[in-house]
Amino acid sequence: MSTTADLDREVTTGSVLSVDSGSRRAEVVRLFLQPIAAIALVGAVLIWAFSSDLDANETATLNSETLTKATWEHLVITFVVTVLVVVVAIPLGIILTRRWARPIAPIFLGIATIGQAAPAIGVVVLYFLWTSQEGLWAAAVPLAFVSLLPVLRNTIVGIQQVDPALVDAGRGIGMSSFTVLRRVELPLAVPLMLAGLRTSLVLAVGTATLALFVNGGGLGFVIDSGYKVARTSVLLVGATLAVGLALMVDWLGALAERYLGPKGLR
């Protein structure tokens, strides 16, 4: 016979499964609608802008060649920033989880926190004053510093949250420390690492507009042109393209989180 406790347990389990199933459906719907919303937003603004009566100042910026070039430069900046973040943050995060390096982990996390807390434009300008460089790398390096924290922190937390019993089990069957890291710790940390990378990607897209100040190109040029000539249409197109790119990058990050993690954790 089923007891009252058994019935309560069944009801609770059913409620949890229902909530989990609903959350999964909501996530699938969001993943489906987000790119559509981004494309629709950008498309509507571009159609409105190009169908309007543009004067000479607006036409100088709102043309397919200029917008394509600015968008491509923006994507290149974002890609370079992301590569720098991954190359620096993930190995550093792994090192800082090793027993001998744990005492210095707060120092590096503190430095990365300063990078994210500081105004991005200030970091870009300070780097320019320090190096006197201009162009892509003059923008990418300081923006990578600004975007570093989410990946570094999530790499550390992702590895630290792995059950020590699993690590001990790996050591018990003869795995080396490196093999345990490669086959146990990193695979289980991947979901959190991808979440951090997704955040860094969106940060990179947003702050890449500041590359304008060091002649790095990007959509910041379109936004700045609209501000200088006092044309709302140019400002709106530049800002909308940047928002659309951020939404698409966030969507790609969500896909990576959903489909690149360990199968058992999806």
Side-chain angles (χ1 to χ4, degrees):
M1 280 182 74
S2 296
T3 64
T4 303
D6 292 333
L7 290 174
D8 289 341
R9 240 187 333 265
E10 290 177 8
V11 171
T12 302
T13 302
S15 299
V16 171
L17 290 174
S18 177
V19 170
D20 185 59
S21 176
S23 299
R24 288 177 181 272
R25 282 197 297 270
E27 179 68 13
V28 170
V29 171
R30 190 187 69 79
L31 287 176
F32 177 74
L33 291 179
Q34 185 165 330
I36 296 176
I39 294 171
L41 174 65
V42 172
V45 171
L46 288 177
I47 290 172
W48 167 78
F50 283 111
S51 62
S52 302
D53 293 327
L54 303 178
D55 59 29
N57 288 327
E58 292 171 317
T59 305
T61 304
L62 296 183
N63 58 77
S64 58
E65 182 179 355
T66 300
L67 293 179
T68 301
K69 180 183 177 183
T71 303
W72 173 251
E73 290 173 345
H74 206 93
L75 288 172
V76 170
I77 296 168
T78 302
F79 175 76
V80 173
V81 169
T82 303
V83 170
L84 289 175
V85 167
V86 169
V87 168
V88 173
I90 292 180
L92 181 60
I94 292 172
I95 291 171
L96 294 177
T97 59
R98 302 306 92 186
R99 185 174 300 173
W100 56 269
R102 287 174 188 168
I104 62 174
I107 297 174
F108 286 92
L109 283 171
I111 293 172
T113 301
I114 291 172
Q116 185 168 341
I121 187 171
V123 177
V124 171
V125 171
L126 286 175
Y127 184 80
F128 168 75
L129 294 175
W130 179 41
T131 64
S132 299
Q133 293 180 354
E134 293 184 0
L136 172 62
W137 291 100
V141 173
L143 293 181
F145 180 53
V146 171
S147 306
L148 189 71
L149 180 62
V151 178
L152 177 61
R153 181 181 57 205
N154 281 29
T155 299
I156 294 173
V157 173
I159 293 176
Q160 288 178 340
Q161 57 86 38
V162 175
D163 190 344
L166 297 176
V167 176
D168 292 338
R171 297 278 179 82
I173 61 175
M175 289 185 180
S176 65
S177 297
F178 178 74
T179 304
V180 170
L181 173 67
R182 180 173 60 87
R183 301 188 62 180
V184 178
E185 293 178 294
L186 283 180
L188 292 176
V190 162
L192 272 178
M193 292 165 66
L194 289 174
L197 182 59
R198 177 182 176 185
T199 302
S200 287
L201 276 168
V202 176
L203 275 173
V205 173
T207 55
T209 55
L210 301 175
L212 154 80
F213 295 103
V214 288
N215 292 326
L219 291 169
F221 164 76
V222 179
I223 297 172
D224 184 62
S225 297
Y227 172 76
K228 286 179 177 177
V229 299
R231 295 298 186 273
T232 303
S233 57
V234 180
L235 271 170
L236 184 59
V237 168
T240 302
L241 285 173
V243 169
L245 283 180
L247 288 173
M248 292 301 295
V249 165
D250 179 68
W251 175 67
L252 291 174
L255 287 180
E257 281 187 57
R258 184 173 180 85
Y259 297 109
L260 295 184
K263 292 182 179 179
L265 299 178
R266 294 177 191 170

